[in-house]
Amino acid sequence: MRFGITQFTSDRGPAPAVVARAAEEAGFDTFSVPEHTHIPVRREAAHPGTGTSELPDDRYLRTLDPWVALGTAAAVTTTIRLGTAVALPVEHDPITLAKSIATLDHLSGGRVVLGAGFGWNTDELGDHHVPPGKRRTVLREYLEAMRALWTQEEAAYAGEHVSFGPSWAWPKPVQDTVPVLIGAGGTERTFTWIARHADGWMTTPFESELEDKIAALTRIWHSEGRSGAPEITVLAGKPDGLERLAELGVTEVAFGIPDRSEAEVLSYLERLAGKLTSCR
């Protein structure tokens, strides 16, 4: 089971490159960052953690662009995987986003993992012209279109929300294709979507009943004709119950870091890495 670090980036605190380099030196396997392009002041969408329009953290208003942040991290690291927890692909032009991700994978030597969300903030999605009730459909088409651009010499795609004729697009990712994990609440609907269109599941930070949900994901995965097992990343606050998570088939546990000064964050990483040494 791998261990990762998730930094809720903002325009305060340590730079992502500093944290990513320290995480790599401490032996962590993955460094991930989130995404929000903006937060509309007036919203109807409730935050999944608070249940209201109230946000639990003002960093939602201040997040850095994930692909720029990961680009800086790629420049100062050599082995740690570079991911998103989670990105919101439907808030971008898919052709341009495919180029950004492929470029990062190319320059990093094949280290990109795309953690993607459907997007809880429907007001934010609306400003990007994502039709109401179509988040999952749009994301499916975006992923299909981007995979075409990543893998085909002459790529083309025709969908309801994405369409382009035969096109050349390089660089291609170093990986055969970029792994895609869907970060969303664990429901049968989500698991069916993952089994059909993604490579695995990333839990929400407040997920419960993991044993039952992982069993449901595995059952649906095989019922949809997928071989092997899905990737499963659990977002965790503390290094508790790790042996049980490994037994359940969790492939990675990602830990958040405190919103503190650079010195405090680096000290936290060192302490956390020490606690995890016996689990490797």
Side-chain angles (χ1 to χ4, degrees):
M1 189 167 67
R2 302 182 300 268
F3 297 120
I5 290 296
T6 298
Q7 181 185 8
F8 200 146
T9 57
S10 74
D11 56 357
R12 63 167 182 258
V18 172
V19 178
R21 181 168 53 195
E24 181 175 271
E25 291 173 350
F28 288 95
D29 301 292
T30 306
F31 172 73
S32 299
V33 297
E35 177 172 36
H36 282 285
T37 57
H38 69 299
I39 300 293
V41 174
R42 296 185 179 182
R43 303 183 314 282
E44 295 183 3
H47 184 276
T50 65
T52 68
S53 61
E54 182 181 0
L55 297 171
D57 193 313
D58 76 338
R59 286 177 292 180
Y60 282 88
L61 322 178
R62 317 177 74 92
T63 53
L64 306 183
D65 179 277
W67 306 111
V68 174
L70 292 176
T72 67
V76 297
T77 58
T78 57
T79 60
I80 198 166
R81 301 200 308 170
L82 305 169
T84 46
V86 294
L88 299 168
V90 300
E91 297 188 347
H92 298 268
D93 173 87
I95 300 173
T96 304
L97 181 60
K99 173 73 77 173
S100 297
I101 295 173
T103 298
L104 180 61
D105 201 66
H106 169 73
L107 294 176
S108 69
R111 293 189 277 143
V112 175
V113 180
L114 174 58
F118 300 120
W120 63 266
N121 193 339
T122 52
D123 303 276
E124 179 183 351
L125 299 182
D127 287 345
H128 290 284
H129 310 292
V130 179
K134 292 287 188 178
R135 293 175 294 172
R136 292 170 181 250
T137 300
V138 175
L139 181 58
R140 173 182 58 77
E141 290 195 4
Y142 272 40
L143 290 177
E144 290 172 350
M146 290 195 296
R147 284 172 175 145
L149 291 163
W150 291 336
T151 61
Q152 298 173 14
E153 183 168 341
E154 290 188 5
Y157 187 82
E160 180 182 357
H161 305 283
V162 186
S163 182
F164 54 87
S167 303
W168 293 315
W170 273 269
K172 305 297 185 186
V174 173
Q175 305 173 85
D176 291 337
T177 190
V178 175
V180 176
L181 305 183
I182 297 301
T187 65
E188 295 236 344
R189 183 186 182 199
T190 292
F191 293 153
T192 299
W193 200 101
I194 289 171
R196 292 175 179 174
H197 310 297
D199 302 298
W201 177 40
M202 181 178 291
T203 72
T204 64
F206 30 82
E207 207 74 43
S208 61
E209 301 176 350
L210 276 178
E211 184 169 355
D212 291 342
K213 291 177 179 178
I214 291 173
L217 171 59
T218 302
R219 171 178 52 80
I220 293 170
W221 182 265
H222 293 302
S223 72
E224 291 291 333
R226 300 292 294 270
S227 60
E231 290 281 319
I232 301 173
T233 293
V234 169
L235 301 183
K238 298 179 180 181
D240 298 331
L242 298 179
E243 290 185 5
R244 182 55 180 157
L245 292 178
E247 292 171 357
L248 292 175
V250 172
T251 49
E252 183 169 311
V253 179
F255 301 94
I257 59 176
D259 184 21
R260 302 284 177 81
S261 69
E262 180 177 311
E264 290 172 300
V265 167
L266 298 186
S267 176
Y268 172 82
L269 286 177
E270 185 176 351
R271 294 195 307 273
L272 178 59
K275 292 179 181 178
L276 296 172
T277 299
S278 61
C279 302
R280 290 187 179 274

